Amino acid sequence: MAIAEAAIFSRFTRSAMIEVLDHPMVETAKASGFSQVKLLIAHVLPNAALPLLTITGLFVGSLIGGGVVTENVFSWPGTGRLLVESVGARDFAVVQCTILLIGVTMIVTNLAVDLCYLGIDPRLRDAKRRAA
C-alpha cells in the first residue's frame, strides 16, 4: 500500500526541494560560504518539510482506506475487515465504534502534524509568543 504513496511523496519532496533551492535566502547562504550539505540540512530541508508534513497527514487517511480494501481482498483479519463484516451483519454498534476509531486516528494525526509545524516553522512559534 505504501509503494504508491512513496512515489507520490518522493516526487512531492523533489519539487519542494527544487522550489526552495530557487529562493533568495539559499543564494544568500551560498554567498555566506555554507557547504552544500550544511545548506541542504540547515536551510533547504526545513523549508521544504512544511508541505511534506501536510501530505503526510493526508496519506494516513488513504492508508486507512487502502487497509480496508487490502484486508478484504486478502482475507486478513483487521479493523477494515471487521468494518466490512459488521456492515454486512448490520451490527451498527461495531460499525459506529470502528468509524469512531478511524475518526480519532485522523484527528490525532492532524494534531501531530500541526504540532510538528510548530517545531519546524519559526514563524509559527514567533506568532504564538506574540499572541500570548
Side-chain angles (χ1 to χ4, degrees), residues 25-80:
M25 65 129 184
V26 175
E27 296 296 325
T28 305
K30 282 182 188 175
S32 297
F34 281 102
S35 68
Q36 188 71 18
V37 173
K38 180 146 178 129
L39 179 75
L40 287 174
I41 292 173
H43 294 285
V44 177
L45 194 58
N47 288 298
L50 292 174
L52 298 176
L53 272 175
T54 304
I55 63 167
T56 302
L58 297 174
F59 281 166
V60 170
S62 64
L63 286 175
I64 290 172
V68 171
V69 173
T70 304
E71 288 171 6
N72 284 297
V73 168
F74 295 108
S75 296
W76 290 341
T79 308

Side-chain angles (χ1 to χ4, degrees), residues 5 44 83 98-99 113:
E5 306 293 337
V44 177
L83 177 63
T98 308
I99 296 297
V113 166

Side-chain angles (χ1 to χ4, degrees), residues 74-121:
F74 295 108
S75 296
W76 290 341
T79 308
R81 187 164 178 210
L82 174 68
L83 177 63
V84 172
E85 288 176 357
S86 299
V87 167
R90 294 180 184 247
D91 190 357
F92 296 121
V94 175
V95 172
Q96 287 176 341
C97 288
T98 308
I99 296 297
L100 181 68
L101 177 69
I102 291 170
V104 167
T105 303
M106 290 301 299
I107 290 170
V108 168
T109 301
N110 285 320
L111 177 66
V113 166
D114 288 341
L115 292 175
C116 288
Y117 281 153
L118 286 175
I120 290 178
D121 195 356

